[in-house]
Amino acid sequence: MGDEWTVETVADGKSAMFAVANGPVDVVMVGPALADLPPATLLGQIRTLRPETIRIALLEGSNDSLAAPIKLIGVAHRFLPLPLSSETVLEAIHSLEELRDLLDSPRLRRAIGRVEHLPSPPHLYFALTRALEEDEGTANDIAKLVAGDPAIAAKVLQLCNSAYFSNGRAITDLRAAVTRLGLGTLRDLVLASEVFSMKTASSVDRTALQHRALLASRLAAKILPRTSSELGATAALLADIGLLLPGVRDERDTPVAEDDDRPGHTEAGAYLLGLWGLPMPIVEAVAFHRQPQRSSLRSFWVPGAVHVAGALASNEPVDESYLKSLGVLDQLPSWRQMAETMVERAEEQAA
């Protein structure tokens, strides 16, 4: 991997924790199976002991079949397929270092620190995430959990019956929503209901913002392989959450005045999601989705899909040079057609 790195290999989780406890570690990579600990448990312990350490989970299978267990999503910064090349590892590390540098910016911390009342984390979304991580609850149990917040439950049912999710069939109760849409989609609808109901001093048009976010979320889920679709859907849903914060610069407005030192809404949104503890792939996609070339990630994954989905949902230009550099530009026409079809169906159902 180069002269700048010292690589240490250990056989099990206990040995890994001993190594981490002995001093700071820049990066930890954990294989798909350990003799003494589940990988998610080890990464969680490392997160507690050394939160600054980059945590990478290695998974069996190709990129297209790469399915990250939900318990790993909250504790790993990145998921890489085996077999592994040194170039892939370095690319992942460098992109995560760039993101960490962005979010550690003193300017950004000062700007967010001036916000008197930062929005609280979406409690119901995290409760559902915990239930999914722990494999707890039937569809009926999940429905009861959502129903415990009547205001959110009503908004979730409203979104379930919106043009992008209903497929023309009415969903009248939460249990049916769980069964027909799946837990991942229901969780994202809960997230949308909580996030776009947050009380902030922002003057942004929340209805229009939510409409674009839902369309982008559906698009991102379809653009990515099934194994990454939930991450993409959630990231696209939250891509412009920074617009809900007061005192940020709307990056859709150009050009930027030279004396405008306000943080852009993408980095502010990513910072907020980092404070909330959302998975790093989501934070990364939110931070870079308007300028994906800022990331050193040189493969098409969640940030790229969120960029494409967000641009198509907002009728904004797609960075074709970026897509060309990743070898996926030829797929843009089909993605564009996908977006147009979704919009047409939504308009037909609304008519």
Side-chain angles (χ1 to χ4, degrees), residues 117-189:
H117 300 289
L118 278 178
S120 300
H123 69 93
L124 188 52
Y125 167 81
F126 282 114
L128 287 173
T129 298
R130 285 192 297 272
L132 291 175
E133 287 176 347
E134 297 167 5
D135 298 322
E136 290 183 352
T138 62
N140 192 49
D141 295 330
I142 297 298
K144 286 182 179 179
L145 184 60
V146 177
D149 189 325
I152 294 298
K155 290 184 174 68
V156 168
L157 282 176
Q158 182 182 24
L159 292 178
C160 286
N161 287 290
S162 67
Y164 296 126
F165 296 93
S166 69
N167 292 323
R169 295 186 298 167
I171 297 176
T172 57
D173 64 84
L174 291 169
R175 192 176 185 282
V178 176
T179 303
R180 289 198 8 213
L181 299 179
L183 290 174
T185 298
L186 179 72
R187 183 178 58 170
D188 279 348
L189 292 181

Side-chain angles (χ1 to χ4, degrees), residues 16-154:
M17 284 305 301
F18 181 79
V20 170
N22 273 344
V25 176
D26 293 315
V27 183
V28 169
M29 293 189 294
V30 177
L34 302 174
D36 55 348
L37 285 176
T41 300
L42 173 59
L43 288 171
Q45 292 176 355
I46 293 172
R47 178 182 62 181
T48 301
L49 183 62
R50 302 283 183 191
E52 73 282 1
T53 296
I54 291 174
R55 302 179 299 275
I56 297 176
L58 305 181
L59 304 177
E60 297 282 5
S62 65
N63 277 314
D64 289 341
S65 63
L66 192 61
I70 192 166
K71 291 182 180 180
L72 278 175
I73 289 177
V75 292
H77 293 124
R78 184 62 55 81
F79 314 101
L80 299 179
L82 293 171
L84 198 62
S85 69
S86 58
E87 290 79 8
T88 300
V89 174
L90 290 174
E91 175 189 302
I93 293 171
H94 289 158
S95 67
L96 290 167
E97 286 178 334
E98 286 181 355
L99 178 63
R100 186 165 58 187
D101 290 344
L102 170 68
L103 299 183
D104 282 346
S105 161
R107 176 187 62 83
L108 181 58
R109 288 203 304 270
R110 285 195 301 270
I112 300 299
R114 288 195 292 266
V115 178
E116 290 188 7
H117 300 289
L118 278 178
S120 300
H123 69 93
L124 188 52
Y125 167 81
F126 282 114
L128 287 173
T129 298
R130 285 192 297 272
L132 291 175
E133 287 176 347
E134 297 167 5
D135 298 322
E136 290 183 352
T138 62
N140 192 49
D141 295 330
I142 297 298
K144 286 182 179 179
L145 184 60
V146 177
D149 189 325
I152 294 298

Side-chain angles (χ1 to χ4, degrees), residues 325-347:
S325 71
L326 301 183
V328 295
L329 180 58
D330 61 328
Q331 298 186 53
L332 180 57
S334 64
W335 294 336
R336 199 181 298 279
Q337 181 60 51
M338 191 186 302
E340 292 172 357
T341 300
M342 284 186 181
V343 171
E344 288 172 1
R345 288 177 179 172
E347 290 175 347

Side-chain angles (χ1 to χ4, degrees), residues 172-228:
T172 57
D173 64 84
L174 291 169
R175 192 176 185 282
V178 176
T179 303
R180 289 198 8 213
L181 299 179
L183 290 174
T185 298
L186 179 72
R187 183 178 58 170
D188 279 348
L189 292 181
V190 166
L191 180 61
S193 301
E194 292 189 282
V195 164
F196 293 106
S197 299
M198 294 188 308
K199 294 180 180 179
T200 67
S202 171
S203 60
V204 69
D205 183 341
R206 291 170 183 251
T207 301
L209 184 63
Q210 178 176 283
H211 178 81
R212 290 194 302 271
L214 290 171
L215 173 56
S217 178
R218 296 294 280 175
L219 277 171
K222 291 183 177 296
I223 288 171
L224 287 164
R226 180 186 57 82
T227 49
S228 301

